[in-house]
Amino acid sequence: MKRRENGGSTANALLGLLTLKPMSGYDIRALTERSIGHFWSESYGQIYPGLRLLEKEGLVEKMTKQSAGRPEKNVFSLTRDGRERLKAWLDLPPVHEVPRSELLLKLFFGHHAPEGANLRHIEAVRDAHQQGVEIYKTMERRLKLEEAGDPQLPYWLMTLSFGRHRSQALVDWANESLDQLRVLEKKKKSAKK
Amino acid sequence: MKRRENGGSTANALLGLLTLKPMSGYDIRALTERSIGHFWSESYGQIYPGLRLLEKEGLVEKMTKQSAGRPEKNVFSLTRDGRERLKAWLDLPPVHEVPRSELLLKLFFGHHAPEGANLRHIEAVRDAHQQGVEIYKTMERRLKLEEAGDPQLPYWLMTLSFGRHRSQALVDWANESLDQLRVLEKKKKSAKK
DNA sequence: GGGTGCATGTAATGGGTTACATGATTCT
DNA sequence: AGAATCATGTAACCCATTACATGCACCC
């Protein structure tokens, strides 16, 4: 039995993804980017060894698939044990960790920054999250059409809504902060003269 | 020269903190929790070796301090080079990494969760962030009084405002999602009967 | 005598990304 | 001819937390 100190988020993410359909490591990587990419990421260095561990524990099953003119593919699917393990994990309260933000770290020391740096950084996040809001909205519309009727749809939409709320909050914050910064920088300039 | 692949956030966080006043590793740890704890964390395992590296590079200076009835203290202060290094780093655009959220991961697979689990998880974040909003507000009020006149105050307030905006967004999102979840769970129950 | 706070540090461990190695096929 | 996509995997690193080891002083 392998110890998993952190609750095995990665392992369970793999199990979760395999509920969608049987997949290879390669498939999983591609899918994560399109589906849960805005709040989760997995790299090959995690996925391939992870799948092997899960197989050893009997939580997933490997089947080798041959397709015409394609490399061989190792397709994994959930076992009954795997499904149960996932369910048990979903029941546990998610561990919350304080996200590290380099932006805020820099802003906290903003008084020592070269002129204009703070403004530039915040403008960048405002632009990024303004785009973010639009992206979330179009994704929500698309999902509602494409996956209509799927019992999982409401949950997927909630994660998108989360992203939209967060991005919108950051846009609002950025605009407020930019106003204040502009006043500050003006004061600094006039004080210098 | 030591390679620092990630831009040396930790090293620069240490430099930044030492602009506030000369401090020991122990002081730094204590201060981080109270000041930048809501978006950054440093552990002893990072701080002590980090300070040594910075000393070797000539970016900080160590002075040993003896106090009556206290253990010996290694107090570090910024050098001119350290100040410059910090300034250069502040100028660079902050690297943004997608924060991993175990909550969203679980919610994405919420259809497979045991009854009530999703509601429980979201209620917990709602409560936590509702508290968060209040904490940020009182911290803002306190800072404005205690640090009135400090040229760094506006920057510190902006980081608090960030936290408040984000927490408020999460509360709003949580309440929306809880409404939807309650409808969903009711449907599931009546479908079972 | 025992808990708490001050103070410094290392070792073990865990979790994760990036770069590399390999090689076929398909599209331009 | 060369780029892109499909596909699997490992090794080297980096970053970070946790637990541990040590010890004094102060208060209850």
Side-chain angles (χ1 to χ4, degrees):
Chain A
M1 177 87 83
K2 191 103 211 266
R3 254 180 304 163
R4 289 236 187 68
E5 311 289 346
N6 99 342
S9 297
T10 289
N12 284 292
L14 293 175
L15 293 178
L17 288 163
L18 290 179
T19 62
L20 302 173
K21 62 183 174 192
M23 282 188 282
S24 68
Y26 188 87
D27 294 335
I28 287 175
R29 179 78 223 275
L31 190 64
T32 49
E33 284 189 345
R34 280 181 296 122
S35 59
I36 59 177
H38 57 108
F39 59 82
W40 202 262
S41 67
E42 294 293 350
S43 59
Y44 289 131
Q46 291 279 103
I47 293 172
Y48 285 114
L51 286 171
R52 252 222 256 157
L53 269 179
L54 290 174
E55 198 194 0
K56 221 184 284 176
E57 294 183 65
L59 305 176
V60 302
E61 265 178 343
K62 180 162 80 173
M63 272 179 289
T64 303
K65 214 185 226 171
Q66 207 83 280
S67 297
R70 275 294 127 95
E72 203 168 76
K73 216 173 167 175
N74 297 323
V75 177
F76 293 86
S77 52
L78 274 185
T79 63
R80 197 165 43 74
D81 279 4
R83 243 167 249 282
E84 266 167 39
R85 176 70 66 93
L86 174 67
K87 197 168 179 179
W89 175 75
L90 288 173
D91 202 35
L92 267 53
V95 294
H96 172 70
E97 42 180 321
V98 179
R100 274 177 123 174
S101 166
E102 209 181 285
L103 169 76
L104 291 188
L105 188 60
K106 291 195 173 185
L107 194 56
F108 189 84
F109 303 122
H111 180 63
H112 302 97
E115 206 188 311
N118 299 315
L119 278 169
R120 260 189 351 263
H121 300 337
I122 301 186
E123 275 165 6
V125 299
R126 183 201 50 194
D127 294 349
H129 284 284
Q130 205 134 54
Q131 263 201 22
V133 172
E134 293 313 312
I135 290 171
Y136 288 124
K137 281 183 185 168
T138 54
M139 282 176 77
E140 287 177 53
R141 256 172 295 166
R142 222 192 50 199
L143 253 194
K144 275 181 197 169
L145 290 175
E146 289 179 4
E147 307 295 335
D150 193 309
Q152 304 184 80
L153 177 61
Y155 300 98
W156 299 342
L157 288 176
M158 280 177 212
T159 67
L160 288 177
S161 165
F162 182 101
R164 175 166 46 79
H165 273 83
R166 190 188 46 190
S167 281
Q168 185 61 57
L170 296 206
V171 170
D172 296 342
W173 167 81
N175 281 326
E176 272 183 42
S177 300
L178 286 171
D179 286 346
Q180 295 176 338
L181 273 181
R182 287 198 196 95
V183 175
L184 263 185
E185 302 238 333
K186 238 181 233 168
K187 265 191 209 163
K188 265 192 208 171
K189 262 190 198 162
S190 62
K192 250 192 244 168
K193 278 176 197 169
Chain B
M1 175 87 85
K2 191 103 213 267
R3 253 179 304 162
R4 289 237 186 69
E5 312 289 348
N6 100 342
S9 296
T10 289
N12 283 293
L14 293 175
L15 293 179
L17 289 163
L18 290 179
T19 62
L20 302 173
K21 61 182 174 195
M23 282 188 282
S24 67
Y26 188 85
D27 295 335
I28 288 176
R29 179 77 223 277
L31 189 64
T32 49
E33 284 189 346
R34 279 181 297 122
S35 59
I36 58 177
H38 57 109
F39 58 83
W40 202 263
S41 66
E42 294 293 352
S43 58
Y44 289 132
Q46 290 279 104
I47 292 172
Y48 285 114
L51 286 171
R52 253 222 256 156
L53 270 178
L54 290 174
E55 198 193 2
K56 222 184 285 175
E57 293 183 66
L59 304 176
V60 303
E61 265 177 343
K62 179 161 81 176
M63 270 179 291
T64 304
K65 214 185 227 171
Q66 208 84 278
S67 297
R70 277 293 127 91
E72 204 169 76
K73 216 173 165 174
N74 297 324
V75 177
F76 294 86
S77 51
L78 273 184
T79 63
R80 200 166 42 72
D81 279 5
R83 245 167 247 281
E84 267 167 39
R85 176 69 65 91
L86 175 66
K87 196 168 179 180
W89 175 74
L90 288 173
D91 202 36
L92 296 168
V95 295
H96 172 70
E97 42 179 320
V98 179
R100 277 178 122 178
S101 165
E102 207 181 286
L103 168 75
L104 290 188
L105 189 59
K106 291 196 173 183
L107 194 56
F108 189 84
F109 303 122
H111 179 63
H112 302 97
E115 207 186 312
N118 299 314
L119 279 170
R120 260 191 348 263
H121 300 337
I122 300 187
E123 276 165 6
V125 299
R126 183 201 51 195
D127 294 348
H129 285 282
Q130 206 134 53
Q131 264 201 21
V133 171
E134 293 313 313
I135 290 171
Y136 288 124
K137 280 184 185 167
T138 54
M139 283 176 77
E140 288 177 56
R141 256 172 297 166
R142 224 192 48 200
L143 254 194
K144 274 182 198 169
L145 291 174
E146 289 179 4
E147 308 295 335
D150 194 310
Q152 304 184 82
L153 177 60
Y155 300 99
W156 299 341
L157 288 176
M158 280 178 212
T159 67
L160 287 178
S161 165
F162 183 101
R164 177 167 44 81
H165 273 84
R166 191 188 45 189
S167 281
Q168 184 61 57
L170 296 206
V171 171
D172 295 343
W173 168 80
N175 281 327
E176 272 183 43
S177 300
L178 286 171
D179 285 346
Q180 295 175 339
L181 273 181
R182 287 197 196 97
V183 175
L184 262 185
E185 301 238 332
K186 237 181 235 170
K187 265 191 207 162
K188 264 192 208 170
K189 262 191 198 162
S190 63
K192 247 192 244 168
K193 277 173 195 169

